[in-house]
Amino acid sequence: MKDKIEALKIAYRTELDGFDFYQKSAKNCKNRLGKIIFDSLAKEEHYHIDMIKKIWDSLEKDENWPDFPKPGNDEKLMPIEFDSIFKDAEKEMDKNVETDANDIKAIKLAMDIESKGYDFYKKHEEKADNELEKQFYAKMS
């Protein structure tokens, strides 16, 4: 059980770091599309943090993996439809909107963070010894 809690502690810290990074990136991003995406990623990381903490608390309390917590009906992780974002972005591209080097760097870092998170969660999904744990890590990846 100790190794499961340790994995969740790592996941919690990673999600918290991601949340901080995405919030700062959204604040500093000069591109409207980038700002929206970073805001959405921060909101998603916040949801992951809450979910991980609930599972962690349950494991420490009774050593049972809880059923996968799901967002409430009124909770929408992504605030807008991506189709409309990209259509708007395409229009802006036609206006020769300049790209900020810091925005590009932040996007590359975000891609790296998400890629490492995917690898971490896939590894723990493969090692999971119960179905609820396996489902949790599959959802996270």
Side-chain angles (χ1 to χ4, degrees):
M1 186 57 58
K2 191 175 184 177
D3 59 327
K4 293 179 187 307
I5 292 172
E6 286 305 312
L8 289 170
K9 285 180 181 179
I10 292 168
Y12 182 86
R13 182 77 240 162
T14 302
E15 297 291 329
L16 195 58
D17 290 345
F19 174 75
D20 290 341
F21 174 75
Y22 294 141
Q23 272 197 319
K24 288 175 187 168
S25 295
K27 181 181 175 191
N28 296 328
C29 191
K30 294 183 181 26
N31 181 283
R32 186 183 73 80
L33 173 62
K35 190 175 285 294
I36 291 168
I37 291 172
F38 284 126
D39 279 335
S40 297
L41 288 168
K43 186 174 183 180
E44 193 170 325
E45 298 296 82
H46 188 265
Y47 169 69
H48 292 164
I49 290 164
D50 289 344
M51 185 175 29
I52 291 167
K53 187 63 174 131
K54 287 176 187 172
I55 294 170
W56 176 359
D57 289 345
S58 178
L59 290 177
E60 285 188 334
K61 182 178 155 191
D62 61 15
E63 296 192 354
N64 288 318
W65 196 278
D67 198 1
F68 187 80
K70 295 168 182 61
N73 291 338
D74 61 337
E75 185 173 352
K76 187 174 178 185
L77 295 179
M78 294 296 172
I80 61 174
E81 298 298 321
F82 275 101
D83 285 346
S84 65
I85 294 173
F86 290 112
K87 284 178 186 170
D88 289 347
E90 194 172 41
K91 289 176 192 171
E92 288 182 23
M93 283 174 40
D94 292 340
K95 297 177 185 174
N96 295 321
V97 174
E98 287 189 40
T99 305
D100 184 82
N102 289 327
D103 291 350
I104 292 172
K105 184 178 177 184
I107 289 170
K108 287 181 180 180
L109 285 170
M111 290 170 60
D112 188 50
I113 288 168
E114 293 300 319
S115 178
K116 287 177 182 174
Y118 174 83
D119 292 343
F120 175 84
Y121 291 125
K122 282 309 260 186
K123 179 179 95 175
H124 287 281
E125 177 188 355
E126 292 167 8
K127 289 176 24 179
D129 59 7
N130 88 41
E131 192 56 34
L132 292 174
E133 180 182 8
K134 189 176 284 291
Q135 287 174 14
F136 166 75
Y137 283 118
K139 279 278 201 198
M140 293 297 287
S141 67

